[in-house]
Structures are given as structure tokens and as C-alpha cells.
């Protein structure tokens, strides 16, 4: 019996050490290993996305995956003879999936911010965005201040949630219980907004503009921006060790700008080139 207790205690002491050691090795590998040769050999790169994020990457009614980022990623890797495969993931776990090697890239309306820079490397930015408030006209909410005491929806793991926490005076301090209602996807949040279970959604302007435009009752929504919330920029997220992959993506984006293909993709999805950022 004493031997059993001894081994149980020893196991309890060793297990956390093994776990921490494993985490450190995974992080170290992600921060130092350059995987471009492996990607080039297999002629395939795996991109993680939330496949309900219009117009960046989403499913049509027939199940086909389409979107701005889908077209852009395929166009970049076509230059290198590499197929872009897309893997739907839990967006709140996106950096973990990237670090663990389940996916090679995050390319899905992925905004640059300081907290994410600690975890991933970014490509050059390619699209401008901002966080906006979406409400229903029937609620008579006319600005951010109108959300006082109201329920706000935010996607879990989104930059909207980060902005809410980093700049609480803009909106978080106003809302009910100073705590948002978290959703896995924006369509889920819109269901509750339409049912008046929440009175607003803080979300990407790029998503909101496209989604509302394609709703039958598009005139029933209002959108508001705030100077207290900064402009954002979309970029491709990757492991810090993938320096060659970053160079290839940056060069690929630059070539698409030169040959006019980037302009075509912008016009296809936005009808304008105004949000596109020039080469660094």
C-alpha cells in the first residue's frame, strides 16, 4: 500500500513537469522552425478559418467555400504551385491550432493587434477594417451611449472582444453588467439581435456591411463607429518560425498588386478598391 501511495505521489509531481515541458517544446518549435520546405514538398498549405465569416471565407447554400480571403490565398499560392486547403476551426482556439501545427496559417479577416503579435507573426497588411456597433432601428439606439444598460453581443476570440476589454470606456462600461454575451459565430449573434435578446453587436465593419447588404430586411439595421476604437488592418497570421513562408506571402501579395489580379479580387467582393492597402 505504501508503494502505491509513493508512486501516486510521484506521478502527481511529475505530470505537471512533463506537461509544461511539452508546452514549451511546442512553443519553441513554433517560434523557431521554418516549415516552407515541407509545404513546398507536399504542394499543400492548410489555412484555418471561421467558415461563417462573410465575405472573407464562408459557405454558400450548396456548401461550397468562397470568399475574399479564399480567392486571395489561392491566388498567392498558385504562384508557387501550392494548393491552399481550408480547415474550419474554433476561432477562439485559432492561435493554439496554429502553434500545434494543425494548420499552417490564419487567413480569415485576421486583424493585427498587440496581443496577437505576442503569439504569431503577421504578413504585410492587405485590408483596412474597424469595429462598429450594429443595432436594430426599432431599438432606437442612436450611438454607443445608447447601449447603456443594454446587452451586447461579441464573437469569442475576436478583435471586437479585445477592443472592448482594452478600451472599456468606449462601450464595456456602458453595457449590462459590464459584460458582453459571447458567440461562436456572428450569425448566432444576429439571430439573438433580431429576436431582441441582445440589443447590439460589436463586430468587423467588413463583415457587417456585407452581411446586412445581403439581408432581405437590410433597412432594419443601423451601424455606428467610434473614434475611441482604432482602425484595424487585416493580415495573414503564421508561426514566428515561418520566416520563409512570410516572405513568400508578402512577395505573392505584391505580385498580385502589380499584375492587376488583386484589383479584380477587390472589385469582385467589394466593388471598390478603397480599403486595399498598397505595398509596404
Amino acid at each position: 500500500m505504501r508503494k502505491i501511495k509513493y508512486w501516486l505521489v510521484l506521478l502527481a509531481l511529475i505530470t505537471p513537469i512533463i506537461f509544461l515541458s511539452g508546452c514549451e517544446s511546442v512553443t519553441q518549435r513554433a517560434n523557431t522552425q521554418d516549415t516552407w520546405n515541407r509545404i513546398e514538398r507536399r504542394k499543400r498549405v492548410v489555412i484555418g478559418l471561421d467558415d461563417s465569416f462573410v465575405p472573407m471565407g464562408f459557405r454558400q447554400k450548396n456548401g461550397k467555400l468562397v470568399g475574399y480571403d479564399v480567392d486571395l490565398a489561392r491566388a498567392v499560392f498558385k504562384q508557387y504551385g501550392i494548393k491552399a486547403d481550408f480547415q474550419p476551426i474554433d476561432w477562439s482556439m485559432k492561435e493554439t491550432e496554429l502553434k500545434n501545427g494543425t494548420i499552417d496559417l490564419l487567413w480569415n479577416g485576421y486583424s493585427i493587434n498587440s496581443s496577437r503579435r505576442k503569439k504569431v507573426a503577421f504578413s504585410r497588411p492587405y485590408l483596412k477594417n474597424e469595429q462598429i456597433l450594429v443595432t436594430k432601428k426599432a431599438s432606437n439606439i442612436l450611438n454607443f451611449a445608447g447601449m447603456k444598460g443594454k446587452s451586447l453581443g461579441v464573437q469569442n476570440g475576436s478583435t471586437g472582444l479585445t477592443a472592448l476589454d482594452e478600451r472599456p470606456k468606449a462601450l464595456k462600461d456602458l453595457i449590462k453588467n459590464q459584460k458582453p454575451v459571447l458567440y461562436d459565430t456572428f450569425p448566432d449573434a444576429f439571430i439573438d439581435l433580431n429576436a431582441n435578446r441582445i440589443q447590439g453587436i460589436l463586430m468587423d465593419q467588413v463583415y457587417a456591411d456585407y452581411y446586412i447588404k445581403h439581408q432581405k430586411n437590410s433597412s432594419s439595421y443601423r451601424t455606428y463607429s467610434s473614434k475611441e476604437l482604432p482602425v484595424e488592418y487585416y493580415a495573414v497570421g503564421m508561426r514566428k518560425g515561418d520566416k520563409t513562408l512570410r516572405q513568400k506571402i508578402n512577395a505573392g501579395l505584391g505580385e498580385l498588386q502589380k499584375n492587376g489580379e488583386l484589383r479584380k479580387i477587390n472589385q469582385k467582393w467589394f466593388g471598390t478598391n478603397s480599403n486595399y492597402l498598397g505595398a509596404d
Side-chain angles (χ1 to χ4, degrees):
M1 183 63 70
R2 287 182 178 179
K3 286 185 177 180
I4 293 174
K5 288 182 178 179
Y6 169 79
W7 287 111
L8 287 174
V9 171
L10 186 61
L11 182 63
L13 292 171
I14 292 174
T15 298
I17 296 172
I18 295 173
F19 177 76
L20 290 173
S21 177
C23 289
E24 287 176 2
S25 63
V26 169
T27 301
Q28 184 179 17
R29 184 168 63 246
N31 289 339
T32 60
Q33 190 175 64
D34 192 317
T35 65
W36 175 252
N37 288 338
R38 186 181 68 196
I39 292 170
E40 196 171 33
R41 281 197 306 270
R42 73 186 183 190
K43 301 293 182 184
R44 175 175 171 264
V45 64
V46 181
I47 298 171
L49 82 165
D50 163 11
D51 62 357
S52 67
F53 197 93
V54 297
M56 312 310 284
F58 63 100
R59 301 282 178 184
Q60 293 180 319
K61 290 182 179 180
N62 62 5
K64 182 181 178 182
L65 182 67
V66 297
Y68 178 90
D69 279 338
V70 174
D71 286 351
L72 189 57
R74 285 173 175 164
V76 165
F77 284 106
K78 183 180 179 181
Q79 298 173 67
Y80 304 110
I82 292 172
K83 180 184 178 185
D85 284 343
F86 297 87
Q87 176 64 51
I89 58 173
D90 179 345
W91 198 244
S92 66
M93 296 294 292
K94 53 192 175 298
E95 287 88 6
T96 300
E97 297 278 16
L98 181 66
K99 182 175 66 175
N100 290 344
T102 309
I103 56 176
D104 299 309
L105 295 170
L106 292 166
W107 197 331
N108 187 218
Y110 189 53
S111 299
I112 301 170
N113 64 36
S114 57
S115 63
R116 288 175 175 173
R117 282 191 185 278
K118 297 175 183 178
K119 304 173 185 177
V120 307
F122 282 101
S123 71
R124 52 172 278 189
Y126 61 86
L127 202 69
K128 187 164 64 174
N129 180 54
E130 65 179 314
Q131 294 299 311
I132 63 170
L133 175 67
V134 178
T135 67
K136 297 285 286 186
K137 284 184 179 178
S139 70
N140 290 317
I141 295 170
L142 303 178
N143 49 37
F144 275 45
M147 284 296 296
K148 186 173 183 178
K150 303 290 196 303
S151 294
L152 177 76
V154 184
Q155 186 185 29
N156 198 11
S158 68
T159 47
L161 182 59
T162 301
L164 202 65
D165 289 335
E166 290 183 348
R167 293 171 172 78
K169 291 183 180 180
L171 192 55
K172 187 175 182 179
D173 289 350
L174 298 172
I175 61 177
K176 185 178 180 180
N177 300 323
Q178 291 76 53
K179 188 175 181 180
V181 180
L182 299 179
Y183 294 91
D184 289 334
T185 68
F186 284 126
D188 291 339
F190 269 100
I191 289 172
D192 277 4
L193 181 68
N194 292 331
N196 199 37
R197 287 188 283 268
I198 59 174
Q199 288 72 54
I201 306 173
L202 186 66
M203 62 187 302
D204 295 57
Q205 180 187 21
V206 169
Y207 186 114
D209 288 350
Y210 189 91
Y211 184 90
I212 292 171
K213 180 181 178 181
H214 288 81
Q215 299 304 300
K216 291 182 179 179
N217 60 338
S218 59
S219 61
S220 69
Y221 297 96
R222 283 195 178 108
T223 62
Y224 303 98
S225 59
S226 171
K227 292 181 179 179
E228 292 188 50
L229 299 180
V231 170
E232 301 172 358
Y233 300 99
Y234 287 162
V236 186
M238 64 205 80
R239 291 178 289 270
K240 292 186 177 182
D242 277 318
K243 295 180 180 180
T244 305
L245 180 57
R246 182 176 183 272
Q247 292 169 359
K248 296 291 184 180
I249 290 172
N250 286 347
L253 288 169
E255 182 58 31
L256 293 179
Q257 184 184 9
K258 289 179 186 177
N259 64 25
E261 184 66 22
L262 188 56
R263 182 178 296 276
K264 291 179 183 178
I265 295 173
N266 275 272
Q267 290 176 342
K268 173 183 176 180
W269 290 103
F270 301 116
T272 176
N273 215 36
S274 60
N275 276 357
Y276 174 67
L277 298 174
D280 291 344

